[in-house]
Amino acid sequence: MKHVLNEILLNMDLSGIRRFSEEANQVEGVVRLTIGEPMFDTPQNIKQAAIDALIANDTHYPFAQGLLSLRKACCEFEKKTQDLDYVPSEVIITQGATGGLFTAINTICQPMDEVIILLPSFTIYKPIVEFADAIPVLIDISEDDFQINEQKLRNVITSKTKAIIVNSPNNPSGISLSRQSNDILEKIVVEHDLYVLCDDVYNQLIFEDTDFLVRRKSIRENIIYIQSFSKPYAMTGWRIGYVMADQPVATQIAKVQSYGTSGVPPFVQQAAIAALSTDVTEMLDQYKSNMVQVSELLTSRGIPFVKPQGAFYLLVDISQCNMDSWTFARKLLHTEKVAVIPGEVFGAQMDRYVRTSLATDIKISLPAFDRIADFIRNNRQTVEETA
Ligand SMILES: Cc1ncc(COP(=O)(O)O)c(C=O)c1O
């Protein structure tokens, strides 16, 4: 058979994170600082809720938009933590934030619509936009301290612009958008009548007080809020998250969720209800403590890095090595047996960084960061050498 397949898909690569992680898996005894997931197991009470639901035969087709009890719990949780006002009919339970982004983007985009993606960005935004036959418009904010430069943003807005995707705190930088950046975003989405997708999956993992765009009441109709149980509750494998949006948008997202997936397993949703009342302070404190210890180590070794304000990633600046980030990551992998993600996968300008993970056992990761520091110092090029 001649396999004629979707051209968009044929032109799409596997994510750089996936490609490099597969290379790293071939190396024995490697310390993996590549992973974007908690080092913790899912808390016992959450697992027990799923077990109880299974025993009670909560195994039938769910209502595709999600259990009413879970959607109510999401509304209460978001009211309490972020002062958001949504009702259960405006909530869609999805297959993680990934499923939420996929359904939301496919709900709002028509062919040739433009979606602005701020770089550095999580690697799935661009392919999801492309898969919807829309056009990703990339704008690098790393040179502006990872904040919004109003003019640069205005320069990429056209009559085709449909949405902006915002992720704060950000994967991979760990930087949160400032109040000033959010003021600019608020002004521009109103002026141009744009959707703004707030991918806030790390909003519980913050190391300092921060401003969140999603809280701005004046743009409630523009906001599509994407959430996940993966990161705060160590539930990456459960594949559950949610989307909140103004009723007309939510109604259509629910349709996409229904036709695309028929919903999330009900016993997983019962576990998610338990998650929302679980205290995760201990896990959050551990990430913060890891961040502080790694920052102190890198500072004492004279290695430049981007100090994260949240999430569990840390960008190490490798520009003094005069190597691209893939060469750096491969050499580090084979000589020091430490795996990190080449910054280039998050945007071309990010080639001067590698992304490390703070969500690993600090007893293992701290010596690995020491080896990264050794490696950078040994491969550092002086100004005379590079001239
Ligand atoms: C910014 C961001 N959004 C979304 C996701 C996807 O999360 P989920 O596991 O809920 O699909 C991730 C996962 O790494 C992420 O970093």
Side-chain angles (χ1 to χ4, degrees), residues 60-68 71 93 254 257 262-264 266 269:
H60 299 275
Y61 275 130
F63 177 53
Q65 189 172 342
L67 299 180
L68 180 60
R71 287 181 290 125
I93 307 301
Q257 174 68 357
S262 278
V264 173
Q269 297 194 52

Side-chain angles (χ1 to χ4, degrees), residues 1-11:
M1 180 196 171
K2 194 158 166 266
H3 294 293
V4 181
L5 298 170
N6 186 336
E7 289 271 338
I8 300 175
L9 210 45
L10 295 177
N11 291 327

Side-chain angles (χ1 to χ4, degrees), residues 133-148:
D133 214 359
I135 300 170
V137 176
L138 310 176
I139 150 170
D140 189 280
I141 66 168
S142 63
E143 283 170 0
D144 299 304
D145 291 330
F146 303 92
Q147 299 300 330
I148 309 282

Side-chain angles (χ1 to χ4, degrees), residues 246-258:
D246 197 30
Q247 191 64 64
V249 183
T251 303
Q252 301 311 317
I253 295 178
K255 248 190 232 169
V256 180
Q257 174 68 357
S258 168

Side-chain angles (χ1 to χ4, degrees), residues 17 35-37 94-101 121-125 166-172 199-202 226-231 235-237 239-242 311-313 355:
I17 299 182
I35 327 170
E37 72 167 331
T94 57
Q95 272 67 10
T98 305
L101 286 158
S121 90
F122 182 43
T123 52
I124 67 171
Y125 301 153
V166 169
N167 168 222
S168 174
N170 173 266
N171 172 8
D199 176 350
D200 286 4
V201 299
Y202 298 104
I226 312 284
Q227 257 311 339
S228 172
F229 289 85
S230 292
K231 317 287 178 174
M235 290 179 73
T236 48
R239 309 309 307 129
I240 182 160
Y242 53 95
F312 41 51
Y313 308 100
R355 189 195 76 177

